[in-house]
């Protein structure tokens, strides 16, 4: 299976090609069954992905595929460099392959029911296949070049799918916002790659890591490059302050939101930091910004993101936006755990995997609710859906409790494993207590906003006509919910076995043998950090407290929400306006760009065009005038003088000779002939 793993992204790309080129024809013949082509292309990769993971777990050697892409010749210093197209299947890639193929398959099956009747039905599934294939390519990349290709492809697909209903101005604007924001961050990503390439004549991960360990790249350069690489992750994984595009991305179809938030776009940033983690560890001793190393910057940004997004999730009324801010907050958790070093690496990867399953589940449940309520998305207009949509109700609670971190669901194991990593660091370095307390506060808010969503949506009585007439979604939508709910219940325990087993330990020890010594950190690769039940108990208590608060306020109505809003008016107003971050970007970046464009327009019109026009006027007035005078007085003058002389001769002498008298013509001829004969005689006789 390992030898065939390279086929996995190719299957999705093939399904995309078929649907793009023949989708309309096939849809006329097959109807909406054409969507199963996309399902087949993605799901066919599941056996290969699972088989690869099993083989690696049994001790198989990771597989690499590589061929020459472009020779670059000899660089300065005599080193030759080439660009290779390379793929690799190791433990981290294999587990990501399983996650992406399984989750994406469930989402695409669900889409067959959700997108029923859409006028661009086959195109939607072509884009979904392209999106999945791009993420799979990114996961398999063994060098920066292929990683960057997959990275940009998922960005393109997010633009195509967020703006899929481009007739709506809000969807078109959201697509542009996502594309531009992530492109700005990708400039940093590209700079980081080029910085490393300027020192090492290779883009292969292993060769760059080896060069960094050997000191061929200065530690300061490694740290700065890692910080630039993280800027790219901030855009893709919606980290503060580049998180503003993700809530607006809810304008796309709900299956798109599920795919972006679970298995592709935002997962790419966390995966990239995990894949390039040796660079961050190696640079730990090098300060990048105000004395802070790149790895700690990752942790700080993650902590801020987790807290900010959790507070914003508390005030959202749109069911999908609650989940959007939840995703941002959970991504912040992952980044904060990665910022703890090797002790947090395993926990962050586990949470990345399990979060994909329960977040896909929650988004698809929200889509089921919207479908059942005929397009209604405002939770304030729902209520009483538990009896009308029982499958959606129970699966939503499975995802919600996993997100809150309630035992024994998947989120409990992964989130509390991250908290244990932060706890371990806090014991060694007291400054990390800020991380621990901040993430526990975010845990309370996480449980509170997801409990609020469930109670407003399903509890009580219907608060609108749409909720009163709600109905359960068809089986093609609910069966994927049940499948993902099953994974949500069981995956955490399985994931803990994966982290504690030889497969993951061998991966960590292979990828980061020397880097741990650089950072002074020893992690799961040496078995020093296990699951901390005391920390888990604290986190569970926080989660239960958050759920209890939401139940008291939104289920039992023991607290007046209007009174809370009045007491918390300054914060509530700021949170409703998303802390004015969007307004700040609008006033600075957007208006600044527009102002720069206006200045450029003025310079182009009045300076550049003015200069060109002045040169044109000078050419026309000066040069053309000189040419005209030369033509009039020199060329035309010479011609006119010649004509005048000819005319003068004709008028004065030639006219008198040519009088029409033949006798005079003969006499003249004789005289001329005699004269010529005399001249010839003189020349001959006298020797002239």
């Amino acid at each position: 299976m390992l030898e065939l793993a390279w086929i996995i992204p190719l299957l999705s790309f093939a399904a995309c090609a078929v649907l793009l080129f023949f989708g309309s024809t096939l849809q006329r013949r097959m109807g909406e069954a054409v969507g199963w082509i996309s399902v087949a292309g993605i799901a066919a990769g599941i056996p290969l992905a699972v088989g690869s993971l099993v083989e690696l777990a049994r001790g198989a050697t990771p597989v690499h595929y590589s061929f020459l892409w472009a020779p670059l010749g000899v660089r300065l210093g005599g080193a030759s460099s080439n660009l290779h197209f390379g793929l690799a299947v190791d433990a981290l890639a294999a587990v990501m392959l399983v996650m992406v193929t399984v989750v994406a398959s469930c989402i695409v099956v669900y889409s067959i029911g959700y997108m029923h009747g859409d006028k661009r039905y086959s195109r939607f599934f072509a884009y979904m296949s392209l999106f999945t294939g791009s993420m799979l390519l990114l996961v398999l990349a063994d060098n920066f070049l292929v990683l960057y290709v997959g990275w940009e492809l998922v960005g393109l697909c997010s633009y195509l799918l967020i703006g899929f209903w481009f007739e709506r101005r809000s969807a078109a604007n959201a697509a542009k916002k996502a594309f531009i924001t992530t492109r700005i961050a990708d400039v940093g990503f590209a700079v980081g790659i080029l910085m490393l390439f300027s020192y090492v004549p290779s883009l292969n991960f292993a060769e760059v890591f080896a060069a960094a360990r050997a000191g061929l790249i200065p530690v300061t350069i490694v740290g700065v490059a890692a910080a630039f690489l993280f800027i790219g992750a901030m855009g893709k994984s919606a980290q503060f302050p580049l998180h503003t595009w993700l809530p607006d991305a809810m304008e796309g179809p709900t299956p798109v939101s599920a795919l972006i938030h679970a298995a592709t776009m935002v997962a790419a940033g966390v995966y990239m930091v995990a894949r390039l983690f040796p660079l961050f560890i190696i640079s730990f001793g090098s300060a990048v910004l105000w004395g802070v190393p790149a790895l700690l910057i990752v942790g700080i940004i993650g902590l801020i993101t987790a807290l900010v997004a959790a507070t914003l999730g508390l005030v959202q009324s749109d069911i999908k936006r609650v989940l959007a801010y939840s995703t941002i907050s959970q991504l912040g958790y992952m980044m904060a755990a990665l910022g703890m070093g090797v002790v947090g690496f395993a926990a962050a990867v586990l949470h990345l995997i399990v979060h994909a399953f329960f977040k896909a589940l929650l988004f698809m449940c929200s889509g089921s609710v919207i479908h059942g309520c005929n397009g209604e998305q405002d939770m304030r207009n729902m209520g009483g859906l538990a009896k009308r949509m029982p499958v959606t109700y129970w699966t939503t609670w499975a995802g919600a409790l996993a997100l809150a971190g309630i035992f024994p669901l998947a989120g409990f194991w992964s989130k509390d494993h991250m908290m244990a990593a932060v706890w371990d660091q806090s014991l060694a370095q007291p400054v990390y207590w800020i991380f621990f307390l901040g993430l526990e506060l975010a845990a309370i808010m996480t449980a509170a906003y997801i409990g609020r969503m469930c109670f407003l949506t399903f509890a009580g009585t219907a608060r609108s006509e749409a909720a009163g007439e709600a109905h359960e979604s068809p089986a093609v939508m609910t069966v994927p919910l049940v499948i993902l709910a099953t994974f949500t219940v069981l995956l955490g325990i399985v994931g803990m076995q994966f982290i504690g087993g030889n497969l993951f330990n061998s991966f960590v020890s292979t990828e980061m043998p020397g880097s741990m010594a650089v950072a002074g950190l020893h992690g799961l690769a040496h078995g020093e950090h296990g699951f901390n039940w005391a920390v888990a108990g604290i986190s569970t208590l926080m989660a239960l407290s958050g759920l209890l608060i939401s139940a008291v306020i939104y289920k039992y109505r023991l607290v007046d929400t209007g009174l809370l809003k009045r007491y918390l008016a300054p914060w509530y107003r700021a949170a409703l306006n998303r802390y004015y971050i969007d307004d700040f970007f609008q006033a600075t970046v957007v208006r600044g760009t527009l102002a720069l464009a206006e200045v450029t327009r003025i310079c182009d019109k009045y300076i550049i065009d003015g200069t060109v026009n002045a040169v044109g006027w000078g050419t026309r007035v000066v040069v053309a005038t000189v040419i005209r005078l030369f033509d009039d007085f020199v060329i035309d003058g010479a011609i006119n003088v010649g004509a005048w002389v000819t005319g003068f001769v004709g008028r004065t002498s030639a006219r008198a000779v040519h009088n029409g008298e033949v006798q005079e013509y003969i006499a003249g001829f004789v005289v001329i002939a005699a004269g010529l004969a005399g001249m010839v005689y003189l020349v001959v006789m006298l020797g002239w």
Side-chain angles (χ1 to χ4, degrees), residues 12 17 22 56 127 168 191 211 233 368 406 478 480 485 573 592 599 622 632 649-650 684-685:
S12 294
F22 309 107
L56 287 168
Y127 291 165
R168 290 167 20 192
V191 169
S368 181
I406 302 300
T478 55
R573 192 180 306 111
V599 170
V622 178
D632 289 346
V649 171
V684 174
M685 297 302 294

Side-chain angles (χ1 to χ4, degrees), residues 401-549:
L401 294 177
L403 174 63
I406 302 300
F407 179 86
L409 301 177
F412 166 80
W413 302 99
S414 59
K415 181 183 289 187
D416 289 315
H417 206 66
M418 291 190 295
M419 296 304 301
V422 180
W423 173 272
D424 289 338
Q425 283 293 80
S426 301
L427 296 178
Q429 303 181 57
V431 68
Y432 287 98
W433 274 102
I434 299 173
F435 284 81
F436 185 78
L437 296 176
L439 294 178
E440 289 292 2
L441 178 59
I444 297 176
M445 292 188 287
T446 298
Y449 66 64
I450 200 62
R452 172 178 175 265
M453 185 194 84
C454 291
F455 292 131
L456 283 177
T457 303
F458 297 103
T461 57
R463 294 185 293 275
S464 68
E465 182 180 350
E469 298 176 353
H471 55 84
E472 186 61 273
S473 299
V476 73
M477 296 175 66
T478 55
V479 170
L481 299 184
V482 175
I483 294 172
L484 287 174
T486 304
F487 277 106
T488 298
V489 173
L490 302 177
L491 193 60
I493 299 174
V494 176
M496 288 300 294
Q497 297 301 318
F498 166 70
I499 283 184
N502 293 330
L503 175 63
F504 189 81
N505 289 346
S506 63
F507 168 74
V508 174
S509 59
T510 300
E511 291 294 321
M512 297 176 280
S515 58
M516 290 183 290
V518 174
L521 301 172
H522 299 280
L524 285 163
H526 297 289
E528 296 179 3
H529 298 275
F531 192 82
N532 191 320
W533 285 101
V535 173
I538 296 173
S539 298
T540 302
L541 180 61
M542 298 296 101
L544 292 173
S545 300
L547 289 172
L548 178 62
I549 291 170

Side-chain angles (χ1 to χ4, degrees), residues 170-243:
S170 57
N173 288 339
K176 288 188 291 185
K177 184 175 183 179
F179 190 77
I180 293 171
T181 303
T182 53
R183 289 296 74 69
I184 292 172
D186 288 351
V187 173
F189 188 45
V191 169
I193 294 174
L194 293 174
M195 286 182 66
L196 296 172
F197 188 62
S198 66
Y199 282 87
V200 182
S202 173
L203 290 175
N204 181 270
F205 295 148
E207 293 178 7
V208 172
F209 297 162
R213 292 190 190 103
L216 300 179
I217 309 175
V219 175
T220 302
I221 297 298
V222 175
V224 175
F228 274 111
L229 293 170
F230 179 61
I231 292 174
M234 289 173 63
K236 277 289 188 291
S237 290
Q239 296 296 285
F240 179 89
L242 299 180
H243 66 283

Side-chain angles (χ1 to χ4, degrees), residues 50-199:
V50 174
S52 299
L53 184 61
V54 170
E55 288 183 12
L56 287 168
R58 291 176 176 174
T61 303
V63 174
H64 294 261
Y65 319 88
S66 181
F67 63 85
L68 181 63
W69 192 344
L72 299 183
V74 179
R75 295 171 48 179
L76 293 177
S80 61
S81 59
N82 297 308
L83 298 181
H84 288 81
F85 186 95
L87 304 177
V89 188
D90 55 14
L92 181 59
V95 73
M96 287 293 293
L97 289 176
V98 174
M99 180 272 283
V100 173
T101 52
V102 172
V103 173
S105 296
C106 292
I107 294 171
V108 177
V109 170
Y110 171 92
S111 302
I112 291 173
Y114 190 90
M115 297 301 291
H116 170 69
D118 193 272
K119 60 184 179 181
R120 291 186 293 273
Y121 190 83
S122 62
R123 185 187 300 180
F124 176 83
F125 286 96
Y127 291 165
M128 293 289 273
S129 294
L130 180 62
F131 207 173
T132 305
S134 302
M135 184 63 187
L136 292 169
L137 177 66
L138 184 153
V139 165
L140 287 174
D142 81 336
N143 63 70
F144 285 100
L145 181 61
V146 179
L147 176 68
Y148 195 79
V149 171
W151 189 267
E152 294 303 324
L153 278 174
V154 295
L156 169 65
C157 294
S158 69
Y159 172 78
L160 295 173
L161 286 166
I162 293 170
F164 186 75
W165 290 326
F166 54 81
E167 301 90 345
R168 290 167 20 192
R169 186 175 183 84
S170 57
N173 288 339
K176 288 188 291 185
K177 184 175 183 179
F179 190 77
I180 293 171
T181 303
T182 53
R183 289 296 74 69
I184 292 172
D186 288 351
V187 173
F189 188 45
V191 169
I193 294 174
L194 293 174
M195 286 182 66
L196 296 172
F197 188 62
S198 66
Y199 282 87

Side-chain angles (χ1 to χ4, degrees), residues 276-458:
L276 305 181
F277 204 64
L279 289 178
F280 290 88
I281 294 293
I282 292 169
S283 68
F284 194 79
S286 173
V288 175
L289 184 65
W290 298 316
V292 180
L295 190 61
L296 191 53
I297 292 175
V298 173
I300 293 170
I301 295 295
L303 175 63
I304 294 172
T305 303
L307 285 169
V308 169
T311 60
L312 292 174
L314 290 169
V315 301
Q316 302 302 310
S317 57
D318 185 304
I319 188 171
K320 288 174 64 177
R321 286 184 178 268
V322 173
L323 297 176
Y325 283 109
S326 168
T327 298
I328 297 171
S329 182
Q330 295 303 301
L331 293 167
Y333 265 96
M334 299 174 209
M335 292 297 188
L338 289 170
M340 298 301 101
V342 177
V343 294
F345 178 84
V349 172
L350 175 62
H351 196 59
L352 176 63
I353 301 300
V354 300
H355 174 265
F357 284 89
F358 66 70
K359 186 51 61 71
L361 171 62
L362 285 170
F363 265 107
M364 291 160 66
C365 287
S366 72
S368 181
V369 168
I370 295 167
H371 181 271
C373 293
N374 296 318
E376 179 62 65
Q377 295 187 204
D378 194 328
M379 298 183 298
R380 296 170 297 185
N381 297 329
M382 296 180 184
L385 299 184
K387 294 181 179 179
R388 295 180 178 85
M389 306 181 71
V391 177
T392 303
Y393 170 68
W394 288 110
T395 52
T396 300
W397 267 112
L401 294 177
L403 174 63
I406 302 300
F407 179 86
L409 301 177
F412 166 80
W413 302 99
S414 59
K415 181 183 289 187
D416 289 315
H417 206 66
M418 291 190 295
M419 296 304 301
V422 180
W423 173 272
D424 289 338
Q425 283 293 80
S426 301
L427 296 178
Q429 303 181 57
V431 68
Y432 287 98
W433 274 102
I434 299 173
F435 284 81
F436 185 78
L437 296 176
L439 294 178
E440 289 292 2
L441 178 59
I444 297 176
M445 292 188 287
T446 298
Y449 66 64
I450 200 62
R452 172 178 175 265
M453 185 194 84
C454 291
F455 292 131
L456 283 177
T457 303
F458 297 103

